Amino acid sequence: MALATAPTTDIFDEIQELKRTRNAVILAHYYQEPDIQDVADFIGDSLALARQAKSTDADVIVFCGVHFMAETAKILNPERTVVLPDLRAGCSLADSCPAPAFARFLKRYPDHVVVSYVNTSAAVKALSDVICTSSNAEKIIRSIPEDRGIVFAPDQHLGRYLIRKTGRDMVLWPGSCMVHTLFSERKIRQLKVRYPDAEVLAHPECEERVLALADHVGSTKSLLSRAAASRARRFIVATEPGIIHQMEKLAPDKEFIRAPVEGGACDVCSECPHMRLNTLEKVRDCMERLEPEITMDEKLRLRALRPIERMLELS
Ligand code: 13P
Ligand code: SF4
């Protein structure tokens, strides 16, 4: 007896089939679990994912990342259906800057240019003049006239890094990422003694004392490029370890060591608990059900769109 539909027991096959029937594109951040990265059509850092979301002609964007990233995709592409495998996948950094408190804070700096990191809610973006990501932040800050004051939110560590790089004085919102502030300067120093040939790669959301040990600081994409291009054979990676999957694919003959965290003994201590809420099963389910879907008030979307478009023009 012929079956109406072919049995699809392999979840990878199911997802491929759903991509076709839904005319869906899967965008994934480097911090997603390796299986999700392997089913994605496009893997990137926050800026590349925003650009990809803007240019896609798929009907459905399956955003494998955290809420602010999927929300940015929706702001840029309101006519598409944007789904996030787990709606609870938030971001401690975005949460550290609630819009009402930020609006009150900004009243103290009425003449400042407000630069917000992409790791913010749409409501915070709507209060900002221009958005940046870790890959274009320096360029965005340098584009602001010297005589203008700058408020930078919400990541204080990225903010301090930018102050050191550009020499610009900025007012910083005191937010931080729960993952990048875990890395232990002391244990990284010990690893460097054990592996003197190893390069330290660090994301600028890390604390200053960790960045001071780094041979290269940059966005996830920049860390990946450095890992491939460097002559070093061994690396200590101070960012979410999901990216090591791509590093190992790009440079299979090199060794990548997760930067240790203070007090942490486990292998998953530096994994982002928000990013890791997404699973392959949830990717399949959200494609089947077309939910959880990202929806947004149109007036808010338009206010949040303006500073994102300014960023895309400048970068
Ligand atoms: P990137 O823009 O470098 O990919 O970083 C995103 C992020 O959430 C870092 O924690
Ligand atoms: Fe947010 Fe930090 Fe997770 Fe990046 S790693 S998504 S900044 S909590």
Side-chain angles (χ1 to χ4, degrees), residues 91-106 116 119-128 153-154 173-176:
C91 167
S92 65
L93 183 50
D95 291 347
S96 72
C97 187
F102 191 50
R104 286 195 297 279
F105 179 78
L106 290 182
S116 291
N119 298 42
T120 44
S121 65
V124 167
K125 288 186 175 74
L127 294 167
S128 309
W173 177 267
S176 58

Side-chain angles (χ1 to χ4, degrees), residues 25 43 60 78 109-110 196 237 241 271 283:
V25 65
I43 314 168
V60 177
Y109 308 100
V237 182
E271 290 183 357
V283 172

Side-chain angles (χ1 to χ4, degrees), residues 4 28 56 61-62 85 88 95 131 142 154 161 185 188 197 202 204 211 216-217 221 233-234 250 266 286 294:
T56 186
I61 299 173
V62 183
R88 296 167 304 160
D95 291 347
I131 304 304
R142 289 191 193 279
Y161 172 73
E185 177 210 357
I188 295 173
D197 58 322
L211 295 181
H216 182 77
V217 177
K221 169 73 179 117
R233 314 307 301 163
R234 192 180 269 139
L250 263 180
C266 71
C286 79
I294 304 291

